[in-house]
Amino acid sequence: MHLGESTRECEYSQISTRSSTPMETPYKKKTPKKRKWETFPGRNRFYCDGRIMMAKQTGVFYLTLVLILVTCGLFFTFDCWFLAEQLTPIIPVIGAVLFLFVIGTLLRTSFSDPGVLPRATPDEAADLERQIDVANGSTGYRPPPRTKEVVINGQTVKLKYCFTCKIFRPPRASHCSLCDNCVERFDHHCPWVGNCVGKRNYRFFYMFILSLSFLTVFIFAFVITHIILNSQRIGFLSALKDSPASVLEVVVCFFSVWSIVGLSGFHTYLISSNQTTNEDIKGSWSSKRSKDNYNPYSYGNIFTNCCAALCGPLPPSLIDRRGFIQSDAPQLAPPTNGLPMYGSTQSQQSHKQVNTVDCHLQAKAAHCDCPHNSGVLLQGVAHHTGRGPEPRTEAESHVRARFGAAAARQIHLKARGGGISSSPWSPLQIILMLGLN
């Protein structure tokens, strides 16, 4: 009689694993993943979920943007309408095209990755240290030399070791002290654009300063033309009083045109000889160092050097700043049918999960409470005493559904080893033993 009541109670509380609802299906907890830019080691600022990358000091960049916007705004407001009436309407069109090109290249230079090299992981750094020690046979107190030599087009080039990034910098790369990054084909750090200038944004930087030179000369020339034409009608002093905005534009353009045009000419020389600002300042390929010293990166042709710097393929970014950080171990959590669970911690969720499996395994154990099954604890978890392939019971199927085939196999193997059948362990102890909670 007692056995019948226990069986009926067991049948009432038994959980069906064949018609499991989505609420019973486990899934990986959708924890908010961090992107790599959030833990980036360099001194950079990121915007728009890592799409925009700039240096930490951006004050001068905003000054550059304000000067361009204010000067061009005054020109289009107070000068263009007069020049379009007196000369030709093509003047505002040319000015607008130059303005848009300048703004586009400025933002492209400032917001892009200049060619930052990823830092070495701890394992990579340790392996590199061992390679240095083996190569130099360092066993004393003096540290081994941190340089390597490679031959490029017959010229010996030294590769320096970066103690911050833990890498040997490739040729033409250098470490920026402001951004704290190693930049490939490092040219210089430009505060006016708020970013380093390197391999991935140098062409846009050159197009920016070149187009800005044309825009500055364009505005300066036509503002003076506006003042001269206006002074012929009402006098010079009256023309200055009539358009004070034009006077401000002349002053700004006069003091900026020399530096901008000079900078454009300097970088035109660098491009034609395939050099960087860093190499030119250090005199890396100067004949003063040695008679046999020459630039191994030059193609020997001005046109080819310009095409290589401005028209070559743009290399991809190496830091993958918008990639996700991979977690070490996935976590299981109860499903919520697409709805977020507020106020529940991970430990509470795991506890509910273990209790569900515990109740189900206890229900299955009630069927085994009989004399000829006394040597078996938990049907579907204990070992199978017969020969041939071992059947998969409902309890094992439920464990498979909850924790996967590997977990169910572990429970089955533990049972076959006698660890479960020889001791009165509860289902919860089995789950805890296998580390499934």
Side-chain angles (χ1 to χ4, degrees), residues 45 54-66 191-192 194:
R45 290 183 178 180
M54 298 184 69
K56 193 173 183 180
Q57 298 83 8
T58 55
V60 183
F61 162 74
Y62 293 117
L63 176 62
T64 304
L65 196 61
V66 168
W192 297 99

Side-chain angles (χ1 to χ4, degrees), residues 392-405:
R392 183 186 302 174
T393 63
E394 291 183 3
E396 183 179 349
S397 300
H398 183 74
V399 173
R400 280 178 181 270
R402 283 286 179 179
F403 301 101

Side-chain angles (χ1 to χ4, degrees), residues 113-118 165 167-176 181-188 196-202 276 278-279 297 313-319:
D113 169 23
V116 175
L117 296 170
C165 301
I167 60 172
F168 277 100
R169 292 193 289 262
R172 314 190 85 177
S174 184
H175 191 90
C176 177
N181 296 314
C182 279
V183 180
E184 194 173 7
R185 199 186 182 276
F186 178 77
D187 192 87
H188 69 288
C196 289
V197 179
K199 186 175 184 178
R200 297 192 71 251
N201 64 350
Y202 180 78
T276 65
N278 189 43
E279 293 170 348
Y297 306 107
L314 189 66
S317 178
L318 300 177
I319 55 176

Side-chain angles (χ1 to χ4, degrees), residues 127-138 144-146 161 168:
D127 183 65
L128 189 58
E129 291 287 343
R130 287 193 296 267
Q131 293 180 13
I132 294 174
D133 292 338
V134 171
N136 296 277
S138 177
R146 302 282 172 156
Y161 181 82
F168 277 100

Side-chain angles (χ1 to χ4, degrees), residues 310-327:
L310 302 177
C311 304
L314 189 66
S317 178
L318 300 177
I319 55 176
D320 188 25
R321 56 187 183 273
R322 298 196 70 247
F324 289 104
I325 300 176
Q326 300 295 331
S327 58

Side-chain angles (χ1 to χ4, degrees), residues 277-357:
T277 302
N278 189 43
E279 293 170 348
D280 184 75
I281 292 176
K282 293 180 178 179
S284 301
W285 317 121
S286 175
S287 59
K288 296 180 181 179
R289 286 194 170 189
S290 173
K291 294 181 180 181
D292 298 330
N293 196 25
Y294 60 92
N295 183 8
Y297 306 107
S298 176
Y299 293 93
N301 188 308
I302 295 177
F303 179 77
T304 309
N305 288 335
C306 292
C307 290
L310 302 177
C311 304
L314 189 66
S317 178
L318 300 177
I319 55 176
D320 188 25
R321 56 187 183 273
R322 298 196 70 247
F324 289 104
I325 300 176
Q326 300 295 331
S327 58
D328 293 333
Q331 296 178 352
L332 293 174
T336 58
N337 280 346
L339 299 177
M341 297 182 62
Y342 299 100
S344 64
T345 61
Q346 180 184 352
S347 60
Q348 292 173 343
Q349 295 170 0
S350 301
H351 183 65
K352 293 178 183 178
Q353 201 171 37
V354 172
N355 286 343
T356 303
V357 180

Side-chain angles (χ1 to χ4, degrees), residues 201-220:
N201 64 350
Y202 180 78
R203 66 182 65 181
F204 304 107
F205 171 78
Y206 177 73
M207 289 188 288
F208 163 67
I209 59 175
L210 187 63
S211 60
L212 184 61
S213 301
F214 285 116
L215 180 63
T216 307
V217 173
F218 179 84
I219 294 176
F220 184 67

